[in-house]
Amino acid sequence: MSCCCLFPMRKVKIDVMSLESTKMVAQNFVVDLNKPLVFQVGHLGEAYEEWVHQPIVSKEGPRFFQNEVLEFLTLTVWWAIPVIWLPVVCWFVYNSIQMGLSCPHIAMMVVLGVFVWTLLEYTLHRFLFHIKTKTYWGNTLHYLLHGCHHKHPMDGLRLVFPPAATAILLFPLFNLVKLLSTPATAPAVFGGGLLGYVMYDCTHYYLHHAQPKTEVPRNLKKYHLNHHFRIQDKGFGITSSLWDKVFGTLPSSKADAKSM
C-alpha cells in the first residue's frame, strides 16, 4: 500500500475569514499565515494562548514546515486510521483467544479496554491538549499536538493522529497494560483500548466534517463544536460527555460561554 495514497500532499490555501490581514501581531512578533507556522508560533509567548483559540474556519489548513518530508508526515487522511489499526485490534484479540480465553471473557475485556480509553481520551484532552504554555518550545510543541486543531478546526488532513506517532506510543502503553493485567487478558484489554482510539478518531473527524441526520450524532456534533467555538475550557469528551459529567466540566448553559 502506497504511503502517498494514505497521506496525500496538497496545495495550501488560507481562508482568513474575518481577519483583516494574513498577519497577527503579538508582543512585537508577526505571525505570517502564508509561511510555515510551526517555528513561528513559539515567539508569541504569553499571547499564544489567546491567538491559538481564535479559530480560522477553512477546510484547507496552513503549511507547517518548509521541509517537504516533515510536512508530509503531518498529513493523514481519516480512513487511514481504521485501515491500519483495526487489523491490529483483531491481532491482539486473537492472541487472547490463542491463550485459551473464552469468548464471553474476551468480550468483557474488550469492552473494558474501550471504557478505559474513554477516560484516557478525556484526561489527555483536558490536562495535556489544553495545557497552558508561554515558552517558545512549549508553544511550539502544543501547537503541533493540539493547538493547530483549535486554530484550524476544519483542516481535514490534520484532524486524526498520524499513525507513525501512534505506533511509537503503543509500545509503552502495551507494557503498562501487561503490568496491570494477566498474560491472557492483556492483549484483549489493549485491543479494546486501541478499538476505542479508532472509534474516537473516526468520531472526531465525523463531528467536524459530516452533517448528522439523527438526534444523537447531531447533539454530539453540537457539543463538540461548542468546545471549539464557545466554551473551550469545558466539554473535553469526544465520543461522549460521560467524563465531563463525572468531573464537572460539562458546559451548563449558554451563560457559561466566554469570548476567547
Side-chain angles (χ1 to χ4, degrees):
M1 184 177 292
S2 169
C3 288
C4 291
C5 292
L6 292 179
F7 313 107
M9 296 300 290
R10 61 170 180 205
K11 294 181 180 179
V12 175
K13 180 182 178 182
I14 301 296
D15 178 3
V16 295
M17 297 296 290
S18 61
L19 295 180
E20 294 181 357
S21 69
T22 59
K23 297 181 178 181
M24 294 193 66
V25 180
Q27 295 186 344
N28 299 319
F29 181 80
V30 177
V31 175
D32 190 338
L33 298 178
N34 287 320
K35 295 180 180 179
L37 287 184
V38 168
F39 294 124
Q40 294 190 66
V41 299
H43 293 293
L44 290 171
E46 294 181 354
Y48 168 78
E49 178 73 17
E50 179 180 359
W51 177 84
V52 83
H53 288 107
Q54 295 174 352
I56 297 175
V57 182
S58 171
K59 291 184 179 180
E60 298 287 345
R63 189 177 181 90
F64 272 22
F65 295 101
Q66 189 66 42
N67 182 278
E68 295 292 345
V69 175
L70 291 177
E71 181 69 9
F72 172 80
L73 291 174
T74 69
L75 306 175
T76 309
V77 292
W78 74 268
W79 49 262
I81 303 306
V83 166
I84 291 173
W85 296 119
L86 286 182
V88 179
V89 170
C90 293
W91 183 81
F92 275 105
V93 172
Y94 178 74
N95 270 266
S96 283
I97 295 174
Q98 290 291 94
M99 293 181 189
L101 218 61
S102 67
C103 288
H105 198 176
I106 286 174
M108 288 175 57
M109 293 301 100
V110 170
V111 170
L112 174 63
V114 172
F115 180 74
V116 170
W117 163 259
T118 64
L119 178 58
L120 182 60
E121 166 196 314
Y122 172 88
T123 303
L124 289 173
H125 193 187
R126 179 179 178 182
F127 296 107
L128 180 60
F129 294 174
H130 281 267
I131 192 173
K132 308 296 183 183
T133 64
K134 60 183 180 180
T135 65
Y136 177 85
W137 286 110
N139 292 346
T140 300
L141 291 174
H142 180 268
Y143 183 79
L144 279 169
L145 182 65
H146 192 63
C148 60
H149 178 54
H150 271 263
K151 190 65 182 177
H152 294 87
M154 302 305 291
D155 185 349
L157 292 180
R158 293 197 180 94
L159 218 163
V160 297
F161 207 61
T166 303
I168 294 172
L169 295 174
L170 289 183
F171 288 101
L173 288 175
F174 183 52
N175 286 327
L176 178 61
V177 172
K178 286 196 298 183
L179 185 65
L180 300 174
S181 309
T182 67
T185 59
V189 173
F190 187 76
L194 188 56
L195 176 61
Y197 159 71
V198 172
M199 294 165 61
Y200 151 81
D201 244 356
C202 291
T203 299
H204 193 196
Y205 187 91
Y206 177 85
L207 296 180
H208 278 268
H209 291 282
Q211 297 299 325
K213 304 298 183 183
T214 57
E215 184 177 0
V216 172
R218 189 164 59 240
N219 288 341
L220 196 58
K221 178 183 178 76
K222 181 180 179 181
Y223 181 74
H224 182 60
L225 294 186
N226 183 57
H227 167 74
H228 274 279
F229 296 104
R230 290 182 59 245
I231 313 172
Q232 297 177 348
D233 59 352
K234 291 186 178 181
F236 298 107
I238 305 297
T239 54
S240 81
S241 59
L242 169 64
W243 297 110
D244 283 303
K245 294 174 182 176
V246 171
F247 294 112
T249 53
L250 185 74
S252 59
S253 69
K254 291 183 179 180
D256 289 333
K258 66 179 183 179
S259 301
M260 296 300 296

